[in-house]
Amino acid sequence: MPTSIDLITEKALQAPDAMQGSPVQIALFLGALSLLSTALVMMTAFTRIVIVLSFVRRALSTQEIPPTPVIIGLSLFLTAFVMGPTFDAIERDAVRPYLDGNLVAKDAWHQGEQHLRTFMLNQVRQTDMALFSELAHLPAETSSSSIPTRVLVPAFVTSELKTAFIMGFCLYLPFLMIDLVVAVVLTALGMVMMPPVVISTPCKLLLFVLLDGWVVLLKALSLSFVSN
């Protein structure tokens, strides 16, 4: 039995007809557009990137520096960079043939979906895939290419969250050590009334700048999506 998401997607694929149809069809089409933007964020590299950048900002103890719009903007553009080959393949095999009239909307959707599935399959952890396959009561012999998208997406998001938190922990640890060292030194000097963050924040910023932290961080994020 088709789910509500499947019905909304089907209406989105029939956009020209929906725009000329009943108000219910138009509402379903607009609902599909809002769902599409959310799906593209959750089915791309955006989740991992924005979480790791947020971890770095918190580890530096700089409060709202960089500002949230900068974090979101950098995450979006880095996502476009990482997803470039996938987006190019979707444009070549789905969008362009559809605009040229060589593919109907449904076939174009499935062509584009296959490229997104390939990206997600290259990043998802097998343990997460097995978990959601079990929850969906799929046969144990189901191949990766046959996994339904409704199962693949939550498994992919779970894997991205796990990877992002592992990277965030590894980035957080050196800055935590600076906080501990500063706190111990201030206690030894009897300056217990001075907040350690007043001393540790400039030290962490200096270390981050000397190591060219943004270049190292963005390079590590980009390379973390390279398929093995």
Side-chain angles (χ1 to χ4, degrees), residues 185-218:
V185 171
L186 291 178
T187 302
L189 294 175
M191 304 172 63
V192 294
M193 299 301 294
M194 175 175 288
V197 69
V198 174
I199 306 298
S200 63
T201 298
C203 294
K204 289 188 286 187
L205 289 175
L206 179 61
L207 175 64
F208 195 72
V209 171
L210 289 178
L211 295 178
D212 204 359
W214 288 114
V215 172
V216 174
L217 174 62
L218 298 183

mmCIF file of all heavy atoms in Angstrom, residues 185-218:
data_model
loop_
_atom_site.group_PDB
_atom_site.id
_atom_site.type_symbol
_atom_site.label_atom_id
_atom_site.label_comp_id
_atom_site.label_asym_id
_atom_site.label_seq_id
_atom_site.Cartn_x
_atom_site.Cartn_y
_atom_site.Cartn_z
ATOM 1 N N VAL A 185 46.312 25.613 36.023
ATOM 2 C CA VAL A 185 47.287 26.685 36.254
ATOM 3 C C VAL A 185 46.675 27.801 37.095
ATOM 4 O O VAL A 185 47.306 28.308 38.039
ATOM 5 C CB VAL A 185 47.804 27.226 34.909
ATOM 6 C CG1 VAL A 185 48.647 28.482 35.131
ATOM 7 C CG2 VAL A 185 48.622 26.172 34.196
ATOM 8 N N LEU A 186 45.455 28.210 36.768
ATOM 9 C CA LEU A 186 44.812 29.273 37.546
ATOM 10 C C LEU A 186 44.578 28.849 38.990
ATOM 11 O O LEU A 186 44.732 29.647 39.927
ATOM 12 C CB LEU A 186 43.483 29.660 36.890
ATOM 13 C CG LEU A 186 43.572 30.384 35.537
ATOM 14 C CD1 LEU A 186 42.179 30.650 34.987
ATOM 15 C CD2 LEU A 186 44.342 31.685 35.665
ATOM 16 N N THR A 187 44.217 27.576 39.182
ATOM 17 C CA THR A 187 44.025 27.090 40.553
ATOM 18 C C THR A 187 45.343 27.070 41.316
ATOM 19 O O THR A 187 45.398 27.445 42.505
ATOM 20 C CB THR A 187 43.410 25.676 40.525
ATOM 21 O OG1 THR A 187 42.167 25.706 39.812
ATOM 22 C CG2 THR A 187 43.161 25.171 41.934
ATOM 23 N N ALA A 188 46.414 26.669 40.634
ATOM 24 C CA ALA A 188 47.726 26.627 41.286
ATOM 25 C C ALA A 188 48.206 28.028 41.661
ATOM 26 O O ALA A 188 48.905 28.204 42.671
ATOM 27 C CB ALA A 188 48.737 25.942 40.375
ATOM 28 N N LEU A 189 47.830 29.022 40.876
ATOM 29 C CA LEU A 189 48.226 30.401 41.161
ATOM 30 C C LEU A 189 47.286 31.075 42.155
ATOM 31 O O LEU A 189 47.504 32.245 42.515
ATOM 32 C CB LEU A 189 48.258 31.213 39.857
ATOM 33 C CG LEU A 189 49.323 30.801 38.833
ATOM 34 C CD1 LEU A 189 49.172 31.605 37.556
ATOM 35 C CD2 LEU A 189 50.729 30.963 39.408
ATOM 36 N N GLY A 190 46.254 30.376 42.573
ATOM 37 C CA GLY A 190 45.306 30.943 43.508
ATOM 38 C C GLY A 190 44.310 31.885 42.892
ATOM 39 O O GLY A 190 43.591 32.592 43.614
ATOM 40 N N MET A 191 44.225 31.890 41.568
ATOM 41 C CA MET A 191 43.293 32.796 40.870
ATOM 42 C C MET A 191 41.987 32.064 40.597
ATOM 43 O O MET A 191 41.546 31.908 39.449
ATOM 44 C CB MET A 191 43.934 33.298 39.575
ATOM 45 C CG MET A 191 45.273 33.976 39.792
ATOM 46 S SD MET A 191 46.145 34.362 38.237
ATOM 47 C CE MET A 191 45.024 35.515 37.486
ATOM 48 N N VAL A 192 41.362 31.590 41.665
ATOM 49 C CA VAL A 192 40.160 30.770 41.509
ATOM 50 C C VAL A 192 38.941 31.597 41.109
ATOM 51 O O VAL A 192 37.938 31.055 40.654
ATOM 52 C CB VAL A 192 39.881 30.006 42.818
ATOM 53 C CG1 VAL A 192 40.978 28.985 43.093
ATOM 54 C CG2 VAL A 192 39.736 30.967 43.997
ATOM 55 N N MET A 193 39.009 32.885 41.292
ATOM 56 C CA MET A 193 37.870 33.742 40.959
ATOM 57 C C MET A 193 37.832 34.105 39.471
ATOM 58 O O MET A 193 36.810 34.589 38.998
ATOM 59 C CB MET A 193 37.901 35.024 41.805
ATOM 60 C CG MET A 193 37.814 34.778 43.305
ATOM 61 S SD MET A 193 36.307 33.901 43.757
ATOM 62 C CE MET A 193 35.077 35.137 43.334
ATOM 63 N N MET A 194 38.930 33.902 38.768
ATOM 64 C CA MET A 194 38.955 34.239 37.339
ATOM 65 C C MET A 194 38.411 33.063 36.521
ATOM 66 O O MET A 194 38.904 31.942 36.647
ATOM 67 C CB MET A 194 40.379 34.560 36.882
ATOM 68 C CG MET A 194 40.482 34.803 35.374
ATOM 69 S SD MET A 194 42.121 35.319 34.837
ATOM 70 C CE MET A 194 42.150 37.003 35.484
ATOM 71 N N PRO A 195 37.421 33.295 35.670
ATOM 72 C CA PRO A 195 36.896 32.209 34.822
ATOM 73 C C PRO A 195 37.977 31.700 33.871
ATOM 74 O O PRO A 195 38.610 32.499 33.174
ATOM 75 C CB PRO A 195 35.751 32.882 34.058
ATOM 76 C CG PRO A 195 35.403 34.091 34.857
ATOM 77 C CD PRO A 195 36.680 34.548 35.500
ATOM 78 N N PRO A 196 38.207 30.396 33.818
ATOM 79 C CA PRO A 196 39.235 29.853 32.911
ATOM 80 C C PRO A 196 39.008 30.204 31.455
ATOM 81 O O PRO A 196 39.964 30.319 30.682
ATOM 82 C CB PRO A 196 39.139 28.341 33.143
ATOM 83 C CG PRO A 196 38.553 28.201 34.503
ATOM 84 C CD PRO A 196 37.601 29.355 34.656
ATOM 85 N N VAL A 197 37.719 30.393 31.064
ATOM 86 C CA VAL A 197 37.434 30.665 29.656
ATOM 87 C C VAL A 197 38.045 31.973 29.200
ATOM 88 O O VAL A 197 38.342 32.158 28.009
ATOM 89 C CB VAL A 197 35.897 30.665 29.430
ATOM 90 C CG1 VAL A 197 35.252 31.859 30.089
ATOM 91 C CG2 VAL A 197 35.567 30.638 27.947
ATOM 92 N N VAL A 198 38.279 32.916 30.135
ATOM 93 C CA VAL A 198 38.880 34.201 29.772
ATOM 94 C C VAL A 198 40.299 33.999 29.239
ATOM 95 O O VAL A 198 40.740 34.710 28.327
ATOM 96 C CB VAL A 198 38.884 35.146 30.996
ATOM 97 C CG1 VAL A 198 39.630 36.443 30.678
ATOM 98 C CG2 VAL A 198 37.457 35.440 31.436
ATOM 99 N N ILE A 199 41.014 33.027 29.788
ATOM 100 C CA ILE A 199 42.385 32.751 29.355
ATOM 101 C C ILE A 199 42.430 31.708 28.247
ATOM 102 O O ILE A 199 43.208 31.811 27.300
ATOM 103 C CB ILE A 199 43.244 32.280 30.545
ATOM 104 C CG1 ILE A 199 43.176 33.295 31.693
ATOM 105 C CG2 ILE A 199 44.689 32.048 30.120
ATOM 106 C CD1 ILE A 199 43.714 34.657 31.330
ATOM 107 N N SER A 200 41.564 30.696 28.367
ATOM 108 C CA SER A 200 41.641 29.575 27.419
ATOM 109 C C SER A 200 41.158 29.944 26.024
ATOM 110 O O SER A 200 41.678 29.428 25.032
ATOM 111 C CB SER A 200 40.824 28.389 27.940
ATOM 112 O OG SER A 200 39.447 28.722 28.030
ATOM 113 N N THR A 201 40.166 30.839 25.925
ATOM 114 C CA THR A 201 39.641 31.193 24.599
ATOM 115 C C THR A 201 40.702 31.815 23.692
ATOM 116 O O THR A 201 40.840 31.384 22.535
ATOM 117 C CB THR A 201 38.431 32.136 24.736
ATOM 118 O OG1 THR A 201 37.391 31.464 25.442
ATOM 119 C CG2 THR A 201 37.910 32.546 23.369
ATOM 120 N N PRO A 202 41.481 32.825 24.135
ATOM 121 C CA PRO A 202 42.551 33.336 23.263
ATOM 122 C C PRO A 202 43.581 32.266 22.907
ATOM 123 O O PRO A 202 44.088 32.250 21.778
ATOM 124 C CB PRO A 202 43.177 34.459 24.091
ATOM 125 C CG PRO A 202 42.124 34.869 25.050
ATOM 126 C CD PRO A 202 41.368 33.625 25.374
ATOM 127 N N CYS A 203 43.880 31.372 23.861
ATOM 128 C CA CYS A 203 44.845 30.303 23.576
ATOM 129 C C CYS A 203 44.311 29.362 22.499
ATOM 130 O O CYS A 203 45.057 28.950 21.591
ATOM 131 C CB CYS A 203 45.153 29.522 24.859
ATOM 132 S SG CYS A 203 46.005 30.473 26.134
ATOM 133 N N LYS A 204 43.028 29.018 22.593
ATOM 134 C CA LYS A 204 42.440 28.122 21.592
ATOM 135 C C LYS A 204 42.364 28.794 20.227
ATOM 136 O O LYS A 204 42.617 28.153 19.189
ATOM 137 C CB LYS A 204 41.055 27.671 22.058
ATOM 138 C CG LYS A 204 41.102 26.708 23.228
ATOM 139 C CD LYS A 204 39.754 26.116 23.554
ATOM 140 C CE LYS A 204 38.846 27.086 24.237
ATOM 141 N NZ LYS A 204 37.595 26.455 24.710
ATOM 142 N N LEU A 205 42.029 30.074 20.207
ATOM 143 C CA LEU A 205 41.995 30.796 18.932
ATOM 144 C C LEU A 205 43.382 30.877 18.309
ATOM 145 O O LEU A 205 43.536 30.701 17.089
ATOM 146 C CB LEU A 205 41.427 32.198 19.143
ATOM 147 C CG LEU A 205 39.933 32.296 19.452
ATOM 148 C CD1 LEU A 205 39.549 33.736 19.765
ATOM 149 C CD2 LEU A 205 39.110 31.768 18.286
ATOM 150 N N LEU A 206 44.400 31.119 19.144
ATOM 151 C CA LEU A 206 45.774 31.188 18.639
ATOM 152 C C LEU A 206 46.193 29.848 18.055
ATOM 153 O O LEU A 206 46.783 29.790 16.967
ATOM 154 C CB LEU A 206 46.718 31.611 19.760
ATOM 155 C CG LEU A 206 48.210 31.697 19.393
ATOM 156 C CD1 LEU A 206 48.427 32.741 18.297
ATOM 157 C CD2 LEU A 206 49.041 32.032 20.625
ATOM 158 N N LEU A 207 45.904 28.760 18.760
ATOM 159 C CA LEU A 207 46.238 27.425 18.254
ATOM 160 C C LEU A 207 45.515 27.140 16.941
ATOM 161 O O LEU A 207 46.116 26.611 15.990
ATOM 162 C CB LEU A 207 45.862 26.375 19.298
ATOM 163 C CG LEU A 207 46.038 24.908 18.879
ATOM 164 C CD1 LEU A 207 47.509 24.598 18.624
ATOM 165 C CD2 LEU A 207 45.466 23.971 19.941
ATOM 166 N N PHE A 208 44.237 27.501 16.877
ATOM 167 C CA PHE A 208 43.435 27.240 15.675
ATOM 168 C C PHE A 208 43.987 28.007 14.476
ATOM 169 O O PHE A 208 44.051 27.475 13.362
ATOM 170 C CB PHE A 208 41.988 27.636 15.942
ATOM 171 C CG PHE A 208 41.010 27.108 14.934
ATOM 172 C CD1 PHE A 208 40.683 25.764 14.895
ATOM 173 C CD2 PHE A 208 40.394 27.956 14.020
ATOM 174 C CE1 PHE A 208 39.775 25.270 13.969
ATOM 175 C CE2 PHE A 208 39.493 27.483 13.097
ATOM 176 C CZ PHE A 208 39.186 26.135 13.069
ATOM 177 N N VAL A 209 44.407 29.254 14.706
ATOM 178 C CA VAL A 209 44.945 30.075 13.617
ATOM 179 C C VAL A 209 46.317 29.570 13.185
ATOM 180 O O VAL A 209 46.620 29.477 11.984
ATOM 181 C CB VAL A 209 45.009 31.553 14.049
ATOM 182 C CG1 VAL A 209 45.764 32.379 13.007
ATOM 183 C CG2 VAL A 209 43.607 32.117 14.233
ATOM 184 N N LEU A 210 47.160 29.220 14.142
ATOM 185 C CA LEU A 210 48.509 28.752 13.810
ATOM 186 C C LEU A 210 48.467 27.452 13.014
ATOM 187 O O LEU A 210 49.322 27.224 12.146
ATOM 188 C CB LEU A 210 49.326 28.563 15.091
ATOM 189 C CG LEU A 210 49.743 29.835 15.834
ATOM 190 C CD1 LEU A 210 50.494 29.489 17.106
ATOM 191 C CD2 LEU A 210 50.596 30.729 14.938
ATOM 192 N N LEU A 211 47.496 26.602 13.299
ATOM 193 C CA LEU A 211 47.366 25.334 12.576
ATOM 194 C C LEU A 211 46.570 25.472 11.280
ATOM 195 O O LEU A 211 46.330 24.466 10.608
ATOM 196 C CB LEU A 211 46.685 24.290 13.472
ATOM 197 C CG LEU A 211 47.460 23.858 14.716
ATOM 198 C CD1 LEU A 211 46.646 22.864 15.537
ATOM 199 C CD2 LEU A 211 48.801 23.244 14.329
ATOM 200 N N ASP A 212 46.194 26.724 10.934
ATOM 201 C CA ASP A 212 45.356 26.955 9.748
ATOM 202 C C ASP A 212 44.107 26.074 9.829
ATOM 203 O O ASP A 212 43.792 25.297 8.927
ATOM 204 C CB ASP A 212 46.145 26.659 8.465
ATOM 205 C CG ASP A 212 45.589 27.411 7.270
ATOM 206 O OD1 ASP A 212 44.593 28.143 7.445
ATOM 207 O OD2 ASP A 212 46.144 27.263 6.167
ATOM 208 N N GLY A 213 43.421 26.226 10.958
ATOM 209 C CA GLY A 213 42.348 25.311 11.311
ATOM 210 C C GLY A 213 41.229 25.184 10.305
ATOM 211 O O GLY A 213 40.746 24.072 10.055
ATOM 212 N N TRP A 214 40.804 26.287 9.703
ATOM 213 C CA TRP A 214 39.687 26.201 8.770
ATOM 214 C C TRP A 214 40.046 25.384 7.534
ATOM 215 O O TRP A 214 39.222 24.595 7.047
ATOM 216 C CB TRP A 214 39.225 27.599 8.365
ATOM 217 C CG TRP A 214 38.507 28.323 9.461
ATOM 218 C CD1 TRP A 214 38.907 29.446 10.125
ATOM 219 C CD2 TRP A 214 37.258 27.948 10.053
ATOM 220 N NE1 TRP A 214 37.999 29.800 11.083
ATOM 221 C CE2 TRP A 214 36.967 28.903 11.066
ATOM 222 C CE3 TRP A 214 36.357 26.916 9.828
ATOM 223 C CZ2 TRP A 214 35.820 28.834 11.839
ATOM 224 C CZ3 TRP A 214 35.203 26.850 10.605
ATOM 225 C CH2 TRP A 214 34.947 27.800 11.589
ATOM 226 N N VAL A 215 41.252 25.552 7.046
ATOM 227 C CA VAL A 215 41.675 24.777 5.870
ATOM 228 C C VAL A 215 41.739 23.292 6.215
ATOM 229 O O VAL A 215 41.251 22.435 5.466
ATOM 230 C CB VAL A 215 43.041 25.274 5.360
ATOM 231 C CG1 VAL A 215 43.571 24.351 4.261
ATOM 232 C CG2 VAL A 215 42.927 26.704 4.836
ATOM 233 N N VAL A 216 42.343 22.979 7.364
ATOM 234 C CA VAL A 216 42.448 21.578 7.780
ATOM 235 C C VAL A 216 41.066 20.976 8.002
ATOM 236 O O VAL A 216 40.784 19.844 7.588
ATOM 237 C CB VAL A 216 43.301 21.468 9.065
ATOM 238 C CG1 VAL A 216 43.307 20.041 9.584
ATOM 239 C CG2 VAL A 216 44.721 21.935 8.803
ATOM 240 N N LEU A 217 40.185 21.739 8.640
ATOM 241 C CA LEU A 217 38.846 21.241 8.938
ATOM 242 C C LEU A 217 38.039 20.985 7.671
ATOM 243 O O LEU A 217 37.428 19.909 7.516
ATOM 244 C CB LEU A 217 38.118 22.242 9.830
ATOM 245 C CG LEU A 217 36.646 21.944 10.134
ATOM 246 C CD1 LEU A 217 36.510 20.645 10.890
ATOM 247 C CD2 LEU A 217 36.028 23.099 10.911
ATOM 248 N N LEU A 218 38.024 21.950 6.758
ATOM 249 C CA LEU A 218 37.237 21.791 5.541
ATOM 250 C C LEU A 218 37.806 20.696 4.644
ATOM 251 O O LEU A 218 37.058 19.973 3.975
ATOM 252 C CB LEU A 218 37.175 23.121 4.788
ATOM 253 C CG LEU A 218 36.486 24.270 5.543
ATOM 254 C CD1 LEU A 218 36.421 25.514 4.687
ATOM 255 C CD2 LEU A 218 35.090 23.864 5.994
#
